[in-house]
C-alpha cells in the first residue's frame, strides 16, 4: 500500500504540472486510480505547492469551471469535501474521469457520495460498455464500507444490457470480475448448460469452476427428471447432455472432471465413468468409484485386472495407486511386481501404493534411490523416511557426490538429515559445495538451524572440524557459542 501511495503522489504531481491524464495514468489500471486518490491527499499534507490551492471561502464551482481533465482529476481527489463535490458537478460527459467518480461513490462525505452515484448511474445506463470497462474498479471499491452501491448498480446494468457484455466479463483477467459475472449469470439463468460447462472447463479459478459446473449439473438433473417423465428421451436430448458432459469430462482441472464424472450418474451413463477409475487425480478416481459402485460395478476388481500384467505398456499410473486406495494388503504382491515396469509413472505410483498399504520394505525399495526418474526417487524417499535411521549412512553419503543426479543427491540428503547428529552435519557440510544453488542453500540452512543434540557426544573432534568448514555461515560469536554447546570449549 505504501508503494502504491508513493506512485499516486508522483502521478498527482505530474498532473499538477500539466501532464495529460492518459499519459500520466494507465486508464485500465485499478491500482493506479486508487493510488492517485490516496496520493493527492498525501501530497497535500506536506507538499501542497504543486497542487491547486482552492480556498474554502472561494466560490468553488466558479473556480473549477474550465479545468481540463488532469486538474479536475486532482479536484476529485481533494481533501476538502466541498471541492470534491464541485468537481463531480463538472465531471459530467467526461468519460476519462468516470473511474474517479466510481471511487467517490464510496466517499465518506454524504453529499459527495450522492452526487457521484447520480452521475455514475446516468453514465452506465446511457452506455453499458462503460460498465464492462469499469467492472474491476467497481468491484474493488465495493469492498469498502460504502461501496455496495456500485456493485448493485453494475449488476442491474449488466442484467439489462445485451448478454454479450456479461459474457465478455467471463474472460476478464481479474478473478473477482469473473466470479461476479459467473454468479450473476447463474443466479439469473443467463447462460445455457453447455456454456456453463465450457466456462467451468476453461477457467482456472476454483470458485468459477464450482459455480458453473454445479449449475450445469443441476440443469442435467432437471433434464434427467424430464426424461423420466417421457419428455426427454430422444436423440436431441442425448446430444444436449453430451454438450454438457464432454467439456466437464475433458477439462484439465480435476475438480471439474470430478463434477463431470458425478454427473454421469445423473445422466444415467455410469458406464462412461469406468475409464476415470485410472485418472491421475485422486478426487476424480474417488468420484468414479462412487458412480461405478452405485450401479453395481466392482472398482477393486477393475484395478486388479489392470495391474495383473506387470509389463503392460497401456497401464495408467492412476490405476496403480487406485488399487492401493480401495484394495487390501494382499494386493501388495501386484504392486511389488510393478516396480520393474518400464513406465516411470507406474513405478512411482507402485511405491506410493506400497506406502499407503504400509508395506514399504526398506531393503526391497533401496535400489530405487538410483532410479533415473525423479518421481520414482521422490516417492521412494517418502517411503524410506520412517526407517531412515536404519539405512546405511555411508552409502547415502556416497550418493551426495556431484557425480550423481540432482534428484538422487536431494533424496540422500533428505534421508541423512533424518539421521540427526553428526551424520546430518557431515552431509550438510559436504553439500555446501554442491553445484546446485538450491541444494547449497538448503544445506546451509540446515547447518545454521542445527543445535546441540544428545546423539553427539560432547567434545567430538569431528564436530569441531565440520563447524570450522562451515564458519562462513556464522559470525565469530555464534560459532564460539555453537562450539561451546557441543562441548568444544577448549
Amino acid at each position: 500500500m505504501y508503494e502504491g501511495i508513493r506512485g499516486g503522489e508522483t502521478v498527482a504531481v505530474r498532473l499538477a504540472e500539466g501532464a495529460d491524464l492518459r499519459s500520466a495514468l494507465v486508464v485500465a489500471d485499478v491500482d493506479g486510480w486508487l493510488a492517485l486518490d490516496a496520493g493527492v491527499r498525501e501530497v497535500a499534507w506536506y507538499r501542497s505547492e504543486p497542487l491547486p490551492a482552492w480556498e474554502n471561502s472561494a466560490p468553488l464551482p466558479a473556480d473549477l469551471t474550465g479545468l481540463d481533465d488532469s486538474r479536475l482529476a486532482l479536484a476529485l481527489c481533494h481533501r476538502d469535501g466541498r471541492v470534491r463535490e464541485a468537481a463531480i458537478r463538472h465531471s459530467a460527459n467526461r468519460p476519462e474521469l468516470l473511474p474517479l467518480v466510481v471511487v467517490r461513490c464510496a466517499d465518506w462525505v454524504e453529499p459527495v457520495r450522492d452526487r457521484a452515484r447520480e452521475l455514475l448511474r446516468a453514465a452506465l445506463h446511457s452506455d453499458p460498455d462503460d460498465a464492462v470497462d469499469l467492472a474491476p474498479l467497481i468491484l474493488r471499491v465495493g469492498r469498502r464500507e460504502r461501496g455496495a452501491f456500485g456493485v448493485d448498480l453494475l449488476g442491474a446494468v449488466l442484467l439489462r444490457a445485451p448478454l454479450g457484455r456479461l459474457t465478455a466479463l467471463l474472460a476478464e483477467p481479474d478473478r473477482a470480475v469473473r466470479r461476479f459475472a459467473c454468479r450473476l449469470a447463474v443466479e439469473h439463468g443467463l447462460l445455457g448448460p453447455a456454456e456453463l460447462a465450457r466456462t467451468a472447463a476453461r477457467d482456472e479459478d476454483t470458485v468459477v469452476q464450482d459455480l458453473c459446473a454445479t449449475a450445469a449439473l443441476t440443469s442435467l438433473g432437471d433434464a434427467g427428471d424430464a426424461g423420466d417423465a417421457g419428455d426427454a428421451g430422444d436423440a436431441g436430448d442425448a446430444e444436449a447432455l453430451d454438450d454438457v458432459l464432454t467439456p466437464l469430462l475433458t477439462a484439465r482441472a480435476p475438480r471439474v472432471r470430478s463434477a463431470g464424472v458425478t454427473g454421469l450418474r445423473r445422466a444415467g451413463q455410469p458406464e462412461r465413468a469406468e475409464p476415470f477409475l485410472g485418472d491421475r487425480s485422486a478426487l476424480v478416481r474417488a468420484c468414479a468409484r462412487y458412480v461405478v459402485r452405485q450401479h453395481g460395478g466392482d472398482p477393486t476388481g477393475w484395478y486388479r485386472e489392470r495391474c495383473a500384467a506387470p509389463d503392460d505398456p497401456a497401464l495408467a499410473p492412476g490405476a496403480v495407486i487406485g488399487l492401493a486406495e480401495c484394495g487390501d494388503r494382499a494386493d501388495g504382491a501386484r504392486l511389488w511386481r510393478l516396480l520393474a515396469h518400464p513406465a516411470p509413472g507406474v513405478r512411482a505410483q507402485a511405491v506410493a501404493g506400497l506406502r499407503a498399504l504400509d508395506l514399504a520394505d526398506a531393503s526391497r525399495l533401496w535400489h530405487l534411490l538410483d532410479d533415473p526418474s525423479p518421481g520414482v526417487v521422490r516417492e521412494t524417499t517418502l517411503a524410506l523416511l520412517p526407517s531412515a535411521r536404519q539405512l546405511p549412512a555411508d552409502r547415502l553419503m556416497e550418493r551426495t557426490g556431484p557425480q550423481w543426479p540432482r534428484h538422487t543427491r536431494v533424496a540422500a540428503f533428505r534421508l541423512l538429515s533424518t539421521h540427526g547428529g553428526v551424520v546430518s552435519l557431515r552431509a550438510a557440510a559436504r553439500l555446501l559445495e554442491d553445484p546446485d544453488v538450491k541444494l547449497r542453500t538448503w544445506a546451509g540452512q540446515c547447518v545454521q538451524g542445527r543445535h546441540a543434540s544428545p546423539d553427539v557426544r560432547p567434545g567430538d573432534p569431528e564436530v569441531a572440524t565440520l563447524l570450522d568448514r562451515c564458519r562462513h555461515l556464522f559470525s565469530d560469536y555464534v560459532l564460539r557459542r555453537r562450539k561451546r554447546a557441543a562441548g568444544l570449549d577448549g
Side-chain angles (χ1 to χ4, degrees):
M1 183 62 180
Y2 177 78
E3 292 297 329
I5 292 177
R6 276 299 171 89
E9 294 173 12
T10 303
V11 174
V13 172
R14 288 187 60 194
L15 293 177
E17 292 173 347
D20 181 71
L21 182 62
R22 289 185 176 273
S23 65
L25 194 66
V26 179
V27 177
D29 182 13
V30 173
D31 293 324
W33 290 107
L34 297 177
L36 173 63
D37 179 48
V40 170
R41 291 188 296 279
E42 190 74 16
V43 170
W45 283 109
Y46 64 88
R47 190 180 173 186
S48 59
E49 66 275 8
L51 300 181
W54 294 282
E55 298 295 334
N56 292 341
S57 58
L60 297 177
D63 285 350
L64 302 186
T65 301
L67 291 182
D68 59 14
D69 287 344
S70 299
R71 306 285 282 189
L72 199 54
L74 297 176
L76 284 168
C77 305
H78 199 275
R79 61 184 178 182
D80 190 320
R82 292 173 295 178
V83 174
R84 296 197 301 276
E85 183 183 2
I88 291 172
R89 288 200 296 267
H90 290 79
S91 298
N93 301 318
R94 298 200 187 191
E96 292 81 4
L97 297 176
L98 273 180
L100 291 175
V101 174
V102 171
V103 177
R104 296 280 69 83
C105 286
D107 200 279
W108 56 94
V109 178
E110 186 175 359
V112 176
R113 197 164 61 240
D114 291 343
R115 285 191 177 277
R117 291 176 176 181
E118 292 175 6
L119 179 56
L120 183 63
R121 183 186 293 110
L124 296 190
H125 281 299
S126 64
D127 187 0
D129 287 338
D130 288 335
V132 176
D133 297 334
L134 293 172
L137 180 59
I138 291 175
L139 294 176
R140 181 76 69 83
V141 175
R143 303 174 189 173
R144 298 183 176 181
E145 182 179 354
R146 293 166 287 269
F149 169 84
V151 178
D152 295 339
L153 177 62
L154 176 63
V157 170
L158 290 175
L159 288 175
R160 295 177 58 185
L163 183 59
R165 291 183 171 87
L166 178 64
T167 55
L169 294 181
L170 293 174
E172 173 70 32
D174 192 310
R175 182 178 59 185
V177 175
R178 298 200 310 277
R179 289 180 178 181
F180 175 81
C182 178
R183 289 191 180 100
L184 201 64
V186 170
E187 290 174 4
H188 296 273
L190 301 178
L191 296 179
E195 181 61 29
L196 287 170
R198 288 192 293 269
T199 301
R202 69 171 176 259
D203 204 287
E204 297 179 355
D205 180 58
T206 56
V207 174
V208 174
Q209 292 170 4
D210 288 342
L211 283 170
C212 292
T214 302
L217 290 178
T218 300
S219 67
L220 200 65
D222 296 341
D225 295 340
D228 293 340
D231 297 329
D234 56 13
D237 291 329
E239 184 178 351
L241 288 176
D242 196 59
D243 288 342
V244 175
L245 289 173
T246 300
L248 298 178
L249 294 173
T250 57
R252 184 167 177 259
R255 63 194 307 127
V256 180
R257 290 202 308 280
S258 66
V261 171
T262 305
L264 291 172
R265 178 173 174 265
R266 289 186 179 184
Q269 302 177 14
E271 67 282 354
R272 294 180 62 184
E274 195 172 82
F276 292 91
L277 291 172
D279 194 272
R280 62 183 180 272
S281 165
L283 176 62
V284 177
R285 292 194 299 271
C287 291
R289 288 196 292 269
Y290 167 75
V291 173
V292 171
R293 286 191 182 113
Q294 288 294 307
H295 289 78
D298 180 20
T300 306
W302 187 91
Y303 287 127
R304 287 171 177 160
E305 181 182 350
R306 296 302 182 281
C307 298
D311 56 352
D312 181 7
L315 179 59
V320 179
I321 189 62
L323 176 61
E325 290 169 344
C326 68
D328 52 39
R329 292 172 64 88
D331 295 306
R334 288 182 173 85
L335 296 177
W336 281 114
R337 290 196 295 270
L338 291 174
L339 294 181
H341 195 278
V346 172
R347 297 199 302 275
Q349 294 304 322
V351 176
L354 290 169
R355 180 167 60 91
L357 294 173
D358 196 21
L359 294 173
D361 184 343
S363 61
R364 297 179 67 180
L365 291 176
W366 167 268
H367 71 282
L368 289 175
L369 286 176
D370 301 338
D371 195 279
S373 168
V376 176
V377 174
R378 184 164 51 250
E379 290 293 345
T380 303
T381 304
L382 290 174
L384 294 178
L385 278 175
S387 55
R389 287 176 174 266
Q390 283 73 51
L391 299 177
D394 55 340
R395 294 178 65 183
L396 287 174
M397 189 68 69
E398 176 187 338
R399 284 161 173 77
T400 61
Q403 71 274 18
W404 291 89
R406 182 186 184 278
H407 62 268
T408 302
R409 303 199 305 274
V410 169
F413 181 47
R414 193 172 178 185
L415 293 168
L416 287 168
S417 298
T418 308
H419 274 256
V422 70
V423 173
S424 61
L425 180 60
R426 189 186 304 138
R430 180 173 187 178
L431 287 173
L432 289 176
E433 300 176 354
D434 192 88
D436 184 79
V437 62
K438 290 186 177 180
L439 197 47
R440 290 200 307 269
T441 302
W442 182 19
Q445 292 171 342
C446 290
V447 173
Q448 291 171 325
R450 179 189 178 278
H451 296 281
S453 169
D455 299 335
V456 181
R457 61 184 178 84
D460 189 334
E462 184 182 4
V463 174
T465 302
L466 293 172
L467 287 176
D468 285 336
R469 285 177 58 186
C470 305
R471 65 168 52 250
H472 63 283
L473 299 173
F474 306 102
S475 66
D476 291 341
Y477 170 74
V478 172
L479 182 61
R480 287 196 301 269
R481 291 198 58 176
R482 293 296 173 90
K483 286 188 174 183
R484 189 177 300 116
L488 301 167
D489 293 344

